[in-house]
Amino acid sequence: MIDLRAVDVDVVTFGQYMRPTKRHMKVEEYVRPEVFEIWRQRALDLGFLYCASGPLVRSSYKAGESFIENVIKKRKGVTILTDEKTGQVKAVV
């Protein structure tokens, strides 16, 4: 992640591989949601403007919408906490 920030990458996503059929590669390990939260927080601590991190997250996971929303919030100096699953606003700080 440090290398990504060094070249000004602003958005990162972490998700879990899900085996679509028995002909595809097996899942070696299911990652717990707590681990995804650790990676999300590390990404934000490193300065990423947005990080989607969870077992069902895909690389395109609301990427454009979330990125623009977070850029606007950071420019205004306002923090808006939203639920990543529903997109609902949880708190404005």
Side-chain angles (χ1 to χ4, degrees), residues 37-73:
E37 178 56 26
I38 290 168
W39 284 105
R40 187 188 74 78
Q41 190 57 55
R42 286 185 185 170
L44 297 176
D45 291 345
L46 286 171
F48 285 91
L49 296 180
Y50 179 74
C51 176
S53 182
L56 301 178
V57 170
R58 298 295 171 259
S59 61
S60 60
Y61 188 80
K62 299 184 186 180
E65 173 187 332
S66 297
F67 175 73
I68 291 169
E69 182 179 307
N70 279 283
V71 168
I72 291 169
K73 286 186 280 187

Side-chain angles (χ1 to χ4, degrees), residues 12-26:
V12 67
T13 60
F14 300 104
Q16 172 74 54
Y17 168 75
M18 300 296 206
R19 186 179 187 189
T21 69
K22 291 186 183 237
R23 295 184 323 187
H24 290 79
M25 193 167 63
K26 288 183 179 181

